[in-house]
Amino acid sequence: DAKTTQPNSMESNEEEPVHLPCNHSTISGTDYIHWYRQLPSQGPEYVIHGLTSNVNNRMASLAIAEDRKSSTLILHRATLRDAAVYYCIPRNRDDKIIFGKGTRLHILP
Amino acid sequence: NAGVTQTPKFQVLKTGQSMTLQCAQDMNHEYMSWYRQDPGMGLRLIHYSVGAGITDQGEVPNGYNVSRSTTEDFPLRLLSAAPSQTSVYFCASSYSGLAGIPTGELFFGEGSRLTVL
């Protein structure tokens, strides 16, 4: 299973962009990179995923390094509601989806 | 839209009792899984299933049994509850995609809070 490294915590000001990094240097060529977040007292929710190209959706953007050893989740304009734990997860064919410790994002008003 | 439904939402057990946490999904998802989350910690995978009749162990399978007789249901059984199993349990499902390509997003239930005294 590919291992991931994420900062334990990050802070950002409200209404500013946030860049959440993830290192997954042991990722295999067929692993998709998924991001989830968990708001306080809730279950995790899907944010975005990608394979090689950068991806955008209504929640966020995902920038994947050319060598695929790292990726960055970009929240374009953070709100207080974005305060959560963000998980970066390589997902492979055997479907054993392992959540690491994630990054706790604090948003300052 | 029911999505992933977990029951019960809350349960208190005494040490040594057994119980089953129910999980059902109505999205025809092939993949289903169970996680536990202890206070202030991340999610840990207990068991998972890539389709009816197929189950496999996750990171922390000891003390738990699962079965997958239908696509819709994936119950988690605690055989003899211990205080160390006090946790919030989440069930999740996804569409694994054609040929097992892991593109599907995981949908989570609301969680089942279990306390073992």
Side-chain angles (χ1 to χ4, degrees):
Chain A
D1 297 336
K3 304 297 183 194
T4 60
T5 303
Q6 295 180 254
N8 288 335
S9 66
M10 292 181 63
E11 274 186 359
S12 178
N13 294 320
E14 195 177 10
E15 298 187 5
E16 290 187 356
V18 182
H19 291 235
L20 294 159
C22 180
N23 182 296
H24 33 75
S25 57
T26 60
I27 197 169
S28 77
T30 55
D31 287 357
Y32 281 75
I33 300 156
H34 285 239
W35 283 81
Y36 287 79
R37 72 180 186 180
Q38 187 173 21
L39 302 173
S41 302
Q42 294 189 26
E45 64 178 356
Y46 167 83
V47 177
I48 200 166
H49 77 273
L51 184 61
T52 55
S53 304
N54 294 345
V55 184
N56 300 297
N57 66 19
R58 64 174 178 80
M59 288 181 71
S61 295
L62 176 60
I64 302 171
E66 196 170 334
D67 63 7
R68 291 190 6 102
K69 293 185 177 182
S70 65
S71 61
T72 302
L73 180 71
I74 302 164
L75 306 179
H76 294 287
R77 191 168 167 271
T79 68
L80 294 177
R81 195 191 174 277
D82 292 320
V85 179
Y86 287 79
Y87 298 95
C88 161
I89 303 168
R91 184 166 175 189
N92 55 35
R93 285 174 177 267
D94 73 2
D95 277 323
K96 186 183 285 189
I97 304 170
I98 305 295
F99 283 70
K101 290 184 168 50
T103 297
R104 183 172 297 277
L105 177 64
H106 302 273
I107 304 297
L108 306 175
Chain B
N1 293 333
V4 179
T5 303
Q6 291 183 232
T7 55
K9 287 188 169 47
F10 300 93
Q11 183 72 51
V12 179
L13 290 178
K14 294 180 180 177
T15 297
Q17 287 185 316
S18 62
M19 77 156 300
T20 299
L21 297 175
Q22 302 289 347
C23 177
Q25 52 89 12
D26 61 357
M27 297 171 281
N28 202 30
H29 284 167
E30 298 158 343
Y31 177 83
M32 296 186 74
S33 57
W34 277 102
Y35 294 88
R36 61 175 287 176
Q37 186 170 35
D38 299 336
M41 306 291 285
L43 286 87
R44 291 184 292 171
L45 180 65
I46 305 172
H47 286 285
Y48 66 103
S49 168
V50 297
I54 305 169
T55 64
D56 209 341
Q57 295 182 349
E59 302 171 276
V60 288
N62 291 342
Y64 306 95
N65 274 359
V66 291
S67 59
R68 184 90 182 273
S69 56
T70 67
T71 299
E72 294 79 19
D73 300 299
F74 191 43
L76 178 71
R77 297 183 188 84
L78 281 72
L79 306 174
S80 177
S84 61
Q85 293 179 303
T86 293
S87 191
V88 179
Y89 291 83
F90 289 101
C91 178
S93 73
S94 80
Y95 171 58
S96 291
L98 297 175
I101 298 173
T103 57
E105 67 178 270
L106 272 175
F107 290 81
F108 281 83
E110 292 183 349
S112 297
R113 185 176 297 274
L114 175 67
T115 301
V116 183
L117 302 175

